[in-house]
Amino acid sequence: MKNWFYLLPVGAAIFVASCSKKNNETKQVNISEESYNQAKALFKSVSGRATSDENPLTPEKIELGKVLYYDTRLSKDGNISCNSCHNLATFGVDNKATSPGDDGTLGERNSPTVLNAAFHSTQFWDGRAKDVEEQAGMPILNPVEMAIPSEQFLVDRLSQIAEYKDLFVKAFPTDENPVSYNNIKKSIAAFERTLITPSPFDSFLNGNKSALTAQQISGLETFVKVGCTACHNGSLMGGNMFQKFGVYSDYRTLTNSKVNDEGRKKVTNQEADKDMFKVPSLRNIAKTAPYFHDGSVSNLNDAVKIMAKLNLNRDLTDQEIKDIVAFLESLTGDVPEKAKEIPAILSAKS
């Protein structure tokens, strides 16, 4: 007992040292005014909702859109919903390389997160949809995805459901025929326009310089210094341009991709668009693995290393990669809790 008692000061010292070490690991450091102002010039914070003049947001439209988003009846055989591939409980993705459709067939490309997507300049990896309204209607009719045979098929199906007739009338009170495919798209998009996720980095940009840890600030400075901001800038850290994936070499050599996907060329048939893809937003990137258009890379450290080599011709050190990944973790925001709740109206659906 006596020996144990005399060990107390030693144990206390070890405990204090341990806590001190932990605090040092997360201790904030001052960022120079030059670096801070550069960050504020390169990036913008997000908040609120992504509004649209063509599709004004109303509580009724958003409520209807949420129900539609979670309803498996928007797929032919009722096996999947929008949330199946863009799961709001897991940051708007399903964490699979490619997603299974209504009949289990896998799609050709990785399902990107729906979070903050309404701020993107275009939708899909190849930009074939101009906004979330147009995008919302495409997977429903895609035979590999939700496989609904036609627009009228879904309109007829939903028109037979009393709850939906009521929801559509409330959402579109001036429409003579409120249950329409166009209104289905508008409603889903209206809900998606509320899925905005401010993060610690936004707090940092808005003046709270202590919102980032010392390592995250180092990662931010490295991110800027090595040239990542050429493509990943603005409020989304991406999502606003197309870029060739593999400027200095063929991306397939480093990603070990199983499918030869030539990107936007499939849409435009232009050789200049070969391997061109929409630059993904880096918001919530630490939670949305696997990465790239085909989900070929599962580890974020590896993805950072590959991107630096392919598009910047830079061989990053292990420390630079760790710092950049730490910075990217500061882009993780909170998914609105209410958005993650499955609508009660669907629990009793027939």
Side-chain angles (χ1 to χ4, degrees):
M1 178 65 71
K2 182 177 180 181
N3 290 339
W4 176 84
F5 179 81
Y6 280 107
L7 283 173
L8 275 176
V10 177
I14 293 173
F15 177 77
V16 171
S18 174
C19 290
S20 176
K21 181 180 179 182
K22 183 176 181 181
N23 288 336
N24 285 336
E25 289 174 350
T26 58
K27 181 181 178 182
Q28 288 81 22
V29 297
N30 292 327
I31 184 172
S32 70
E33 281 301 308
E34 181 182 1
S35 293
Y36 184 63
N37 289 334
Q38 185 179 31
K40 291 184 70 174
L42 288 167
F43 312 113
K44 304 298 178 185
S45 61
V46 297
S47 62
R49 297 171 172 177
T51 58
S52 167
D53 292 338
E54 291 75 28
N55 186 23
L57 304 185
T58 65
E60 294 80 10
K61 196 184 296 182
I62 293 167
E63 179 186 3
L64 169 59
K66 181 183 177 182
V67 176
L68 290 167
Y69 187 89
Y70 279 96
D71 198 341
T72 58
R73 288 174 292 194
L74 267 68
S75 61
K76 182 183 177 185
D77 295 328
N79 294 317
I80 63 171
S81 67
C82 302
N83 193 64
S84 298
C85 301
H86 304 283
N87 191 338
L88 298 183
T90 53
F91 289 87
V93 300
D94 59 6
N95 296 120
K96 298 175 182 177
T98 58
S99 304
D102 189 48
D103 68 356
T105 302
L106 293 176
E108 296 180 348
R109 290 177 177 160
N110 178 258
S111 297
T113 179
V114 71
L115 302 178
N116 308 295
F119 283 126
H120 287 220
S121 58
T122 58
Q123 302 297 315
F124 295 113
W125 284 99
D126 55 21
R128 64 184 182 275
K130 65 178 182 178
D131 52 31
V132 286
E133 281 76 16
E134 185 174 10
Q135 183 278 331
M138 290 183 172
I140 296 172
L141 301 178
N142 188 311
V144 179
E145 297 182 60
M146 302 175 89
I148 290 293
S150 68
E151 294 182 4
Q152 193 59 47
F153 179 95
L154 183 58
V155 169
D156 290 342
R157 173 182 283 184
L158 298 185
S159 295
Q160 303 306 311
I161 302 170
E163 293 86 353
Y164 266 127
K165 286 192 286 187
D166 183 53
L167 287 171
F168 273 95
V169 168
K170 289 180 179 178
F172 301 95
T174 62
D175 285 19
E176 184 177 351
N177 298 301
V179 185
S180 69
Y181 199 75
N182 195 45
N183 286 346
I184 291 170
K185 295 191 296 182
K186 284 184 175 181
S187 300
I188 295 173
F191 172 60
E192 292 179 347
R193 287 182 175 279
T194 69
L195 303 177
I196 312 303
T197 59
S199 68
F201 187 57
D202 294 286
S203 180
F204 172 82
L205 291 175
N206 290 329
N208 180 12
K209 295 180 182 179
S210 65
L212 301 191
T213 66
Q215 186 177 22
Q216 287 172 337
I217 289 176
S218 294
L220 165 61
E221 292 175 332
T222 302
F223 187 87
V224 174
K225 179 183 68 176
V226 301
C228 303
T229 55
C231 298
H232 296 286
N233 53 56
S235 61
L236 299 183
M237 318 282 288
N240 58 7
M241 69 172 75
F242 295 96
Q243 181 57 270
K244 184 178 178 66
F245 185 26
V247 173
Y248 289 93
S249 60
D250 192 311
Y251 75 82
R252 300 157 187 83
T253 62
L254 294 183
T255 61
N256 296 316
S257 297
K258 302 294 190 295
V259 177
N260 180 31
D261 189 336
E262 295 186 332
R264 188 159 169 76
K265 179 184 175 184
K266 188 174 181 179
V267 175
T268 66
N269 293 316
Q270 299 295 315
E271 189 63 28
D273 286 329
K274 180 182 177 182
D275 296 345
M276 295 284 284
F277 295 90
K278 185 179 71 173
V279 175
S281 166
L282 296 183
R283 286 190 173 273
N284 301 300
I285 194 71
K287 301 292 186 180
T288 56
Y291 304 109
F292 305 137
H293 64 276
D294 54 3
S296 55
V297 175
S298 60
N299 182 276
L300 184 53
N301 291 57
D302 293 338
V304 170
K305 181 178 181 178
I306 289 170
M307 280 304 308
K309 187 62 177 177
L310 287 177
N311 279 41
L312 298 173
N313 201 27
R314 296 287 295 258
D315 292 304
L316 299 180
T317 67
D318 289 345
Q319 190 59 54
E320 285 175 325
I321 293 171
K322 289 178 182 178
D323 289 347
I324 289 176
V325 168
F327 164 60
L328 295 179
E329 289 171 348
S330 77
L331 303 177
T332 301
D334 294 323
V335 182
E337 286 299 322
K338 187 176 181 181
K340 293 186 286 186
E341 298 172 1
I342 298 175
I345 193 173
L346 295 179
S347 62
K349 77 177 193 286
S350 57

